[in-house]
Amino acid sequence: MRMSRWLADRWVMIVALLVLGYLFLPIAVVAGLSLNRPSSRLSYDFNEFTLDNWRQPCATPEMCDAVVRSVQIGFIATVGATLIGTLMAFALVRHRFRGRSGVNLLIFLPMATPELVMGTSLLALFVSAGVPQGFWTIVIAHVMFCVSFVVVTVKARLAGMDRRLEEAAMDLYASEWQTFRRITLPLVLPGIVAAALLAFSLSFDDFIVTNFNAGTTVTFPMYVWGAAQRGIPPQVNVIGTAMFGIALLLVGLSMLRGRRSRRAALPVADVTGRRATGLS
């Protein structure tokens, strides 16, 4: 009876832990393989522990060139998509205008469109316009499909933000710019950072759309796909583990900053509430 009652009280947590374990298991395998010396180029068994893969991450120069190129594309695409998507999210949440519902519908179309269709459509567009395929066509393509994810992420953050904090700051004679810089931006910043990280991840590991519009440019996913036939270098697992660790660190720092900003903003609302109570 005690065991059944304990399971009944905690079954949701148990299921959640199992789902999280299922999601993080491939990441754990990649991290383990980054510390492994395989028995052959086409083998993925855990053969021998080694740190050589981390000491020499660029043992294959072509792989490091592809990684640097993917980081460059991802950074430019992330900056462009985050700027455009954040402005669109503010417009959709804070303003009412004709065609707003239609814009909200169009935002989801790139997310719902299969990548194969998107890649071939962009290829046809660039070919018909006479645009040479290469680095910048990849950037344009990545910005296009990352904007939707940024808009959705930032919109969710704005929708859950308490507008009374901004009203309290303006009641205390803060200007619109001061309210935005000290209240709105710190509160929405975790959502913007999360959207930027999501956009960078989508851009960094995209293969289908990139393959159609890359020309002779080789990104990291394209290198891995080409190397799979002759044996993937173990340093690929090092890159994957390092990218995951960096993303985890940035998310943690963003959450910590957002928590501190919310704690700093709460006294402002408390003071305004006391003033309003005293006036009444």
Side-chain angles (χ1 to χ4, degrees), residues 52-210:
D52 293 341
N53 300 329
W54 286 89
R55 294 193 187 101
Q56 300 175 348
C58 291
T60 307
E62 296 83 1
M63 186 196 71
C64 281
D65 293 339
V67 171
V68 171
R69 196 171 296 112
S70 290
V71 171
Q72 292 173 344
I73 293 172
F75 178 78
I76 298 173
T78 298
V79 171
T82 303
L83 288 175
I84 298 172
T86 301
L87 294 176
M88 291 179 65
F90 270 94
L92 292 170
V93 173
R94 297 295 179 87
H95 301 280
R96 299 292 183 269
F97 53 90
R98 183 177 300 177
R100 180 171 172 268
S101 300
V103 173
N104 279 316
L105 177 62
L106 291 175
I107 289 298
F108 285 94
L109 285 182
M111 301 172 62
T113 303
E115 285 192 285
L116 184 64
V117 175
M118 187 180 301
T120 54
S121 301
L122 286 170
L123 174 62
L125 174 65
F126 291 138
V127 170
S128 61
V131 178
Q133 296 173 329
F135 183 91
W136 291 108
T137 54
I138 300 175
V139 171
I140 294 172
H142 286 195
V143 170
M144 191 196 72
F145 68 74
C146 286
V147 165
S148 298
F149 293 92
V150 174
V151 172
V152 172
T153 305
V154 179
K155 271 183 61 179
R157 182 65 179 175
L158 286 171
M161 197 175 69
D162 191 354
R163 293 292 299 273
R164 291 176 297 180
L165 296 175
E166 297 173 301
E167 296 171 357
M170 300 190 75
D171 286 341
L172 294 174
Y173 307 105
S175 64
E176 292 185 357
W177 168 245
Q178 289 174 328
T179 302
F180 176 78
R181 184 169 60 90
R182 297 190 177 184
I183 303 297
T184 307
L185 184 59
L187 290 176
V188 79
L189 186 60
I192 297 176
V193 173
L197 290 175
L198 177 61
F200 183 84
S201 299
L202 292 171
S203 174
F204 185 83
D205 69 356
D206 180 78
F207 173 78
I208 299 177
V209 176
T210 304

